[in-house]
Structure formats: C-alpha cells, structure tokens
Amino acid sequence: GALVHASNSTSKNPVQKDLALRLGKAFKKYKAFGLLGQHTQDKVFRDYVNWIVPSDELNLEFESKGPAEGGGMKVLLKLWQKKKVLVKSDAVIKPGKPLFIAGPLWREGRLIFVLELRE
C-alpha cells in the first residue's frame, strides 16, 4: 500500500516509473506523482483488519472477504478521516493490477491511495 500526492509540480520523491505511468493514465489531470509513504506487509489476509499508510489524519482500512472468482481477493475498504468513515466500498484486488483510490484535494494536488496485491 502507498499514499501518493498527485500534482503538476516536480516531486522530491517520485514513485517508481511503472507506477507513475499507470497513475498518469488514471489521473490525466496530473503530471507528477510523489510518494508520501508506503507499507508492505506479508500475509495481510490472516488479520481481521489491516491499515494502509496509517496517519493521524487519513487512513485506509481493508478487511479480507476471501478469494474472488477468477483470482485475487475480495476486500472491504474504508477510508477514514480521523474517527469518521468517509467512504466504504467492496473491491477485488488482483496481482499485477493495483487499485487506485482518489482521496481529497491536498496542497495543490490530490492524495491517492494505492493498494496492490503481490504473489
């Protein structure tokens, strides 16, 4: 999981090139994608709740709902701002196909949560 800042100015900590290309296709309004934080965790689907880039302000929580038809995992996602759930959604995450979640506008750009399942 990662938290990315999308903007039209140069980033001091740009994301990897392949991720930048994918983000550029999904968020055409922005030209630069900077990495604000990331977290890699093994065996995340054994725990009840997992957090992606936890912070005091914004958090992305996901809970495993088991294997999905055709591969990947079903998850319940919740985007939190402090102690309030802003968005709650079901999703399927598949290896090699990262999930992008547009967050709020922030510092002349937008925050983007990236969730990727690796084999």
Side-chain angles (χ1 to χ4, degrees), residues 74-86:
K74 295 184 286 186
V75 293
L76 171 64
L77 298 169
K78 293 179 189 175
L79 179 60
W80 293 78
Q81 184 172 26
K82 296 197 178 187
K83 295 184 180 187
K84 181 180 176 184
V85 176
L86 300 177

Side-chain angles (χ1 to χ4, degrees), residues 9-99:
S9 58
T10 306
S11 173
K12 293 179 183 175
N13 190 19
V15 298
Q16 295 175 348
K17 189 175 180 176
D18 59 330
L19 180 57
L21 291 171
R22 288 180 176 195
L23 286 165
K25 289 178 183 176
F27 298 93
K28 295 178 182 177
K29 178 179 177 180
Y30 301 105
K31 293 177 176 46
F33 302 94
L35 183 64
L36 297 176
Q38 65 182 353
H39 178 74
T40 302
Q41 185 175 334
D42 290 332
K43 301 173 185 161
V44 294
F45 297 110
R46 287 188 178 179
D47 296 331
Y48 178 68
V49 171
N50 296 276
W51 296 94
I52 301 301
V53 192
S55 72
D56 292 337
E57 188 67 28
L58 288 170
N59 299 287
L60 180 62
E61 171 190 342
F62 72 94
E63 179 182 334
S64 172
K65 294 298 182 181
E69 286 185 37
M73 295 296 290
K74 295 184 286 186
V75 293
L76 171 64
L77 298 169
K78 293 179 189 175
L79 179 60
W80 293 78
Q81 184 172 26
K82 296 197 178 187
K83 295 184 180 187
K84 181 180 176 184
V85 176
L86 300 177
V87 178
K88 187 172 168 180
S89 180
D90 291 313
V92 174
I93 305 168
K94 294 185 176 186
K97 296 184 178 184
L99 176 65

